Amino acid sequence: MIDKLDAALSFNREALNLRAQRQEVLAANIAHADTPNYKARDFDFASRLTQAVEQGRQSQSFALATTSSRHMAGEAKAMPDQDLLYRVPSQSSIDGNTVEMDAERINFADNALRYESNLTVIGSKIKTLLAAVQQ
C-alpha cells in the first residue's frame, strides 16, 4: 500500500526537488549579474526529471568539517555540477558576464509559477487519496 502511495507521488516529488534546485541556480545567476566574467548556468529540467524518475535521486553528500568536539556532526547535499550547463548569451558584455537579467527574471518567474502549480497538483492528489481512504 505504501509503495503505491510513494509511486503515485514520486514524479511530483522529484519535480518539486528539481524546481527548487533550478530556483537556486537561477537565483545565483541573478545575484552575480554584476560580477565580471561570471558565466550564467542552468540545467535541462526535462532530462534531469526523466533521469530522477527512472533512476531515483542520486545526491552526493559530504560530511561537514568540525573544529571542536562539541560541534554537531552534519551532512550537506551537493548538486552535481556536471549537469549544469553554461547559458549562451544573445548579446555579449564587455566584462565577460553572460547573465542577461531579463532572461533570468523570466526563467525565475516561470520556474516559481511551475513550482506553485506542482504544489497545487500534489495537494489535490493528497486530498483525493484521503477522500478515497475515508470512503
Side-chain angles (χ1 to χ4, degrees):
M1 178 72 176
I2 297 296
D3 293 340
K4 290 181 182 179
L5 290 174
D6 184 52
L9 298 174
S10 68
F11 176 82
N12 290 310
R13 181 184 62 233
E14 296 300 334
L16 276 178
N17 287 330
L18 287 173
R19 288 274 171 220
Q21 286 179 358
R22 186 163 187 244
Q23 204 71 350
E24 290 176 13
V25 171
L26 295 172
N29 288 345
I30 292 170
H32 289 93
D34 294 327
T35 304
N37 295 316
Y38 181 80
K39 307 300 180 207
R41 309 284 305 263
D42 203 352
F43 60 86
D44 183 12
F45 180 82
S47 66
R48 288 274 304 270
L49 181 59
T50 302
Q51 177 187 9
V53 169
E54 289 175 356
Q55 301 172 359
R57 197 174 323 149
Q58 298 173 348
S59 63
Q60 299 172 342
S61 61
F62 53 93
L64 301 177
T66 58
T67 56
S68 171
S69 61
R70 296 185 300 174
H71 288 166
M72 292 175 58
E75 190 174 286
K77 298 195 183 308
M79 187 174 126
D81 277 343
Q82 70 268 17
D83 292 341
L84 288 179
L85 307 171
Y86 291 103
R87 186 166 299 146
V88 178
S90 59
Q91 184 177 9
S92 60
S93 66
I94 295 172
D95 65 356
N97 187 311
T98 62
V99 176
E100 296 176 325
M101 284 302 291
D102 291 336
E104 296 300 330
R105 284 187 196 116
I106 289 169
N107 288 328
F108 190 88
D110 179 63
N111 195 59
L113 181 67
R114 291 174 189 264
Y115 184 89
E116 290 293 327
S117 65
N118 203 337
L119 281 177
T120 303
V121 168
I122 287 177
S124 66
K125 271 191 174 184
I126 291 172
K127 285 179 185 176
T128 303
L129 291 171
L130 285 174
V133 169
Q134 293 175 352
Q135 295 293 327

